[in-house]
Structures are given as C-alpha cells and as structure tokens.
Amino acid sequence: MGIDEVTAIASDALYLIIKTAAPVLLISLIVGLIVSIFQTVTSIQEQTLTFVPKIIAIFLALILLGHWMLNNMSGYMEDLWSNFSRYIK
C-alpha cells in the first residue's frame, strides 16, 4: 500500500466528514443568524436565547437526516472493509 492509496483513503474520509456534517452545521448557522437578527431587532440581549432554538433545530435535523448520515458512514466503512485485503499488501 503506497502513499497514494493512503492519501486517497484520507481524502475520501475527510470529504465524507464534511458532506455528512455540513447540513447540520448549516441549519445551526441559519437558526443562529435568525435568532441574532431577532435579538437585534427587539433589543433582547439574553445569552441563553440562542441555545434552545439551536438545540431544537439540530435535534430535528438529526431526526430527519440521521438515516442518510448513517448510510453514508456505513457505506464508506463497508468499502474500506471490503478492500481490506488490498490495503495490507
């Protein structure tokens, strides 16, 4: 197993991590921005106000996208294990 194969595996893993985490992070970012705009408009400066909507939004996102995220990660691991004999040479 050469450096090119190791680099390809690491590159695929990083791409999978970004692809899997991006929807949840974007939802958190959007909810945080909306709450921040709401706080600015209403002059409410409560620090804990941002956490509850973010937690609820992330929880809902994980419920909706969890199956897709798990399928992506499981597929990647299946690919790694099915090619394991090739990697140990």
Side-chain angles (χ1 to χ4, degrees):
M1 184 166 154
I3 192 76
D4 294 335
E5 291 173 338
V6 173
T7 305
I9 291 171
S11 173
D12 290 343
L14 288 175
Y15 177 71
L16 177 70
I17 291 169
I18 292 169
K19 184 174 77 169
T20 304
V24 176
L25 292 174
L26 286 175
I27 289 171
S28 175
L29 177 71
I30 291 169
V31 170
L33 183 64
I34 290 170
V35 170
S36 176
I37 291 172
F38 175 75
Q39 283 181 322
T40 302
V41 169
T42 60
S43 298
I44 298 173
Q45 296 302 322
E46 180 63 34
Q47 296 296 324
T48 59
L49 183 64
T50 60
F51 293 115
V52 174
K54 275 187 185 180
I55 289 172
I56 292 171
I58 289 173
F59 180 72
L60 291 174
L62 289 175
I63 289 174
L64 294 174
L65 299 172
H67 182 69
W68 172 76
M69 294 167 76
L70 186 61
N71 281 339
N72 281 342
M73 291 183 285
S74 297
Y76 181 71
M77 288 307 298
E78 286 175 7
D79 288 342
L80 280 179
W81 281 108
S82 65
N83 296 326
F84 188 72
S85 62
R86 188 180 72 166
Y87 299 142
I88 59 174
K89 291 182 181 180

